[in-house]
Structure formats: structure tokens, C-alpha cells
Amino acid sequence: MSGRPIALITGGSRGVGAAIARALAPTHDLLVGGRESTALLEICDELGARPWPVELTDERAVAEAAADIDRLDVLVHSAGVARLGSIAELPVQVWREAFEVNVTAVAGLTRLLLPALRSARGHVVLINSGSGKRVSPGWAAYAASKFALRAFADALRQEESPALRVTTVYPGRVDTDMQRAVREHEGGDYDPAEFLTPASVARLVVAAVTATDDALVTEIEVRPAGPVR
């Protein structure tokens, strides 16, 4: 790593995470997190980044990987899962997975990296969702996990201020593989033009982490400009 600020992006091999990695690459040295895959290696080769291939729900693996990080300027939590279905039909395993990936893994990794973040007076960015502010039928497990993620971010901001900055981003629907799976579940057609681009979300993340010292960006909410679905 050079003398530039260091950023770790989870879920960085595709979608919004990959877009954030590309947006931060000109100004930051990157650790790009994701499951070990060709996609992870490809984006790291593209950006000159260091791969961080860690299964975030494996507590021991996360602890071992985090132990080597002694300074961290930006931590972006972009990894997440969305499993849809009514409360009547969703098995308890789906609820467990939603909270394990979308909340517990986030809390665990953040806790391990707090010394490195404090050392840099760093910035934690959490990619939430519109479902972290409002609930729709069929989205109960996902929305509940995102409401919990919102609470985690708010508590972290209060506990660690002013040493750390904490920003939550609430995107509307984004053109990603996850969105394709959602639309398939909903039985609708998929038109990328109806959704935000990952790059649009990434630009907002850059705006938050490059804000001047007198400005704390606590929340950003963004929706597609087209008709609301």
C-alpha cells in the first residue's frame, strides 16, 4: 500500500460494491472484499487493488483477515442478501440468513476494525436500502434486517463520534444481478432503464467520504428518476 488513504469495500466484486471500488480507486488504495472468485480477481486486476476474499459469516476467517489491517480510512459495507416472500411462507432459515449477512456480519467486522478506523479517524459507509425505511408486502425479512442495519449505523455514529464518521446510503432499486432476481420473483419484466445505475450510487458514496471536515453526511436517500414501481 502507498501513502494514500485505504478503503475496504465488502461485496466489491460486482454490482454496487464494484462500482464503489471503481469510484474510489483514483484516490484510495483498495481492499476489495468478496467470496473468492474470478470476478473478484478481475476487478482487483482492473483497479490494481488487493483482493480480500473472506466469507463474512465465518467469524474466525474474518478475524484472521482483519488482524492484518492496522489503519483504515474508509470501510464500505456493500455485501448483502435479499430473499423475498410472505411471512406465512418464509422459513426461519431465511430470516437467520438475512440477519446474519445484513446485520451480524456488518457488526462483527466493524467491531474488529474499530482500532484501525479510529487510528485514521475514518469513515464507515453502510449501503442500506429503501426497505430500511419502509416496508412492503413480501419484503418482511429483508426490510427487518435493513431496519436493524439502520439502528446499528445510528448507534455507531453516536458511540464513536467525533472519532469516526458514519454514513448510511438508502438507494432505491439499482440495476444489479440482485435486482434481476427480485424482478424474477415478482414476475415482472426487467428494464435496466427503470433503475439507478451502480455508478450513480457510487458517486454519492464518494461525495460522503470526501466531504469537508465541517460537514458530516449522516444519510443519503436516492431514488430512480423514472416512475416509482
Side-chain angles (χ1 to χ4, degrees):
M1 294 288 179
S2 69
R4 301 194 306 170
I6 300 169
L8 167 59
I9 301 117
T10 70
S13 62
R14 61 180 184 166
V16 172
I20 294 169
R22 291 186 176 100
L24 290 177
T27 53
H28 290 70
D29 287 333
L30 301 181
L31 297 169
V32 180
R35 290 189 176 93
E36 192 164 2
S37 65
T38 301
L40 179 62
L41 295 177
E42 285 178 348
I43 191 165
C44 287
D45 286 345
E46 172 192 337
L47 301 178
R50 177 177 150 195
W52 203 72
V54 181
E55 173 53 63
L56 295 174
T57 58
D58 185 334
E59 188 174 353
R60 178 176 295 180
V62 171
E64 290 176 355
D68 293 333
I69 302 174
D70 56 12
R71 179 183 175 89
L72 187 64
D73 298 271
V74 179
L75 171 61
V76 180
H77 291 289
S78 186
V81 296
R83 306 280 187 260
L84 306 186
S86 69
I87 293 171
E89 67 187 11
L90 283 182
V92 70
Q93 293 93 328
V94 170
W95 288 85
R96 288 197 181 107
E97 181 191 33
F99 277 83
E100 183 69 20
V101 176
N102 296 345
V103 186
T104 305
V106 171
L109 178 59
T110 303
R111 180 183 66 83
L112 290 169
L113 292 175
L114 275 177
L117 287 160
R118 289 168 178 159
S119 176
R121 296 186 67 84
H123 201 138
V124 180
V125 179
L126 302 102
I127 306 302
N128 199 297
S129 165
S131 294
K133 288 196 167 186
R134 59 192 64 84
V135 184
S136 300
W139 291 74
Y142 180 69
S145 71
K146 291 298 188 178
F147 267 69
L149 183 64
R150 176 184 177 183
F152 170 78
D154 290 348
L156 180 67
R157 185 182 303 110
Q158 294 177 50
E159 291 179 6
E160 295 294 328
S161 177
L164 300 187
R165 296 180 175 216
V166 180
T167 301
T168 295
V169 182
Y170 298 95
R173 296 196 178 208
V174 185
D175 177 24
T176 62
D177 292 340
M178 181 184 290
Q179 192 63 238
R180 288 182 180 275
V182 166
R183 290 300 294 144
E184 183 177 353
H185 174 86
E186 294 173 334
D189 295 332
Y190 193 88
D191 181 359
E194 295 182 356
F195 308 117
L196 292 163
T197 66
S200 293
V201 180
R203 282 193 286 271
L204 297 174
V205 172
V206 172
V209 302
T210 58
T212 52
D213 290 342
D214 63 322
L216 171 59
V217 182
T218 58
E219 294 187 346
I220 299 174
E221 188 168 2
V222 57
R223 294 287 174 268
V228 176
R229 185 177 299 282

